[in-house]
Amino acid sequence: MQFTTHIRVAFGVVLAAAALAPAGQAATLTRSEQEILVAVNAVRAQHDLRPLRVDTTLTRAARSYSTTLIRTDVFTHGSLGTRLARAGVRGPLYGENLAWGRGDRATARGIVRGWMASPGHRANLLRPGWSRIGLGAKVGTFMGYGGATVVTADFAGS
């Protein structure tokens, strides 16, 4: 009986700790966003770079921007600094990668492969000073294609 009580108390402590965990944990990502994070960090590891940790403020900003891109049917970075500042993002430097596609081009592997094939996006992905990332992957009709995935990856660090 006493052993069962200890198990219940320990389980309660674990649940409380999970509820109070920092909001920046990867568990806040959707499955698609989590897959992109894994692919991004795998590429960074291949280049001897530290993994990026999820930042909830960046993620909120990235999700909002992916939604805006779908809603407005426009594909542009716009005013990144202003947008991130309004979202409450703090840090000395920021960067952003955007992607959109359907089918294989909308998978985490396809998105990261596309970024690696583009010099500017590759440089952003492999910047050693980045420590945080926010991801927003939204599905909708985009540029006349139904079921398109639009991805915003916002980076921060030094």
Side-chain angles (χ1 to χ4, degrees):
M1 174 98 127
Q2 186 176 8
F3 182 72
T4 304
T5 302
H6 288 295
I7 290 174
R8 277 191 231 150
V9 170
F11 185 70
V13 169
V14 169
L15 286 177
L20 297 174
Q25 298 301 312
T28 63
L29 297 180
T30 65
R31 181 175 168 220
S32 176
E33 292 163 350
Q34 181 67 35
E35 290 171 356
I36 296 166
L37 175 66
V38 168
V40 164
N41 281 334
V43 167
R44 289 179 61 84
Q46 290 169 1
H47 291 85
D48 297 320
L49 297 169
R50 68 182 173 195
L52 301 175
R53 66 178 170 79
V54 176
D55 179 297
T56 54
T57 304
L58 284 169
T59 296
R60 214 172 19 256
R63 286 178 178 162
S64 175
Y65 198 57
S66 289
T67 299
T68 296
L69 293 174
I70 288 174
R71 183 178 42 78
T72 60
D73 209 30
V74 174
F75 195 66
T76 182
H77 291 283
S79 181
L80 175 63
T82 301
R83 182 167 27 93
L84 292 181
R86 285 184 183 149
V89 175
R90 303 286 178 252
L93 295 175
Y94 309 104
E96 182 172 77
N97 283 358
L98 300 176
W100 79 274
R102 294 183 338 151
D104 288 343
R105 292 182 183 204
T107 65
R109 185 175 180 196
I111 290 163
V112 172
R113 187 181 318 127
W115 285 339
M116 290 300 286
S118 163
H121 293 98
R122 178 185 177 94
N124 244 356
L125 196 63
L126 299 179
R127 183 181 175 97
W130 294 148
S131 58
R132 298 175 288 143
I133 189 171
L135 292 161
K138 298 292 182 178
V139 177
T141 299
F142 190 68
M143 300 289 175
Y145 294 93
T149 299
V150 174
V151 176
T152 301
D154 289 330
F155 305 93
S158 56

